[in-house]
Amino acid sequence: MLEYAGPLKVLQTALHKTNDPSKKAFICISVAASKAITTAQGNTIAADKDFKDAHRLLRDVDVVVVPGGSPDAVMDIDKDDDLVKLVRAFGDMQKNNPIKERTLLSISSASMILAKAGALQGFTATTHPDLDIKLEKTCQEASAYAAVNRTEVIQETYVVNNARFDLGDPEENPFVIDRRDYETLSHKQRRRSSIARKGSDSWKASNTFKDGAARRAQLRLGGLRVITSNAGTAGLDAALYVVCAMASEESAQDVARGMSYEWRKGVVVDSLDV
């Protein structure tokens, strides 16, 4: 329940201008196979759209958030499941039209959904603590070139791939971890904070900057920003990162303050300034 309601609360609360409640940063739509779904805790949640409707709306969607569930239940989901197909279609849309900035976020065990959709190949990811090895195996099975596109699974609050912000000098930037060096770093060095671009204006500009789009097209999945989070409240942290990237850091901090929550930063891996 938390993995759905937590990120939803963060995104629905976020504002483009923190002093103007009319400037909502996100319009949230829930999608499911039926109009009502029952959580593992027995609560009923109403869905706004079904998968058929979601595919029709996908072109206008900026962020897709996939909440996790019971690890066993997620493992049973087939690669041809409607949810997996939706995630795959979102990734294909970015590859076919890299000029638009899109973000794919999985919460906890939902990283398995991304893996089955082929969205984690060649990336670094985190997941529910019980699924580390299973996630690596699933990613290998989804890749035709497992040796080249191997997925590195690490335990972090959240992991961001294909981030977009001004890196400056890569040797001096404290917010980026090179996945090739990750295993040689101490635990303290690994826990560098992630950041995002400051402000929604830069996000809007990235959708029209031709040079950025050309470079984005050369990245995996057309530069789709792929974020995976750990279990529990890590979904809140990852959602706050999305707010920071697409609205502003001020907005993210304001949401965290209103929830009496201390934002724990994750890591950004192999980022490029696009």
Side-chain angles (χ1 to χ4, degrees), residues 162-223:
N162 287 347
R164 298 185 182 90
F165 52 83
D166 186 3
L167 296 182
D169 184 348
E171 296 299 322
E172 298 178 358
N173 191 304
F175 302 109
V176 181
I177 290 178
D178 188 327
R179 60 174 286 170
R180 292 167 296 183
D181 298 332
Y182 186 84
E183 293 302 325
T184 66
L185 298 174
S186 68
H187 181 73
K188 183 177 180 180
Q189 288 174 311
R190 292 179 185 182
R191 294 302 303 126
R192 303 178 195 173
S193 299
S194 61
I195 59 172
R197 290 190 323 273
K198 304 296 191 297
S200 57
D201 288 342
S202 55
W203 167 65
K204 293 175 182 176
S206 74
N207 286 328
T208 58
F209 187 47
K210 293 183 179 179
D211 182 55
R215 295 176 66 189
R216 202 178 300 163
Q218 300 175 26
L219 299 176
R220 299 183 186 97
L221 298 181

Side-chain angles (χ1 to χ4, degrees), residues 15 20-24:
L15 302 173
D20 187 351
S22 68
K23 301 294 184 181
K24 289 285 187 180

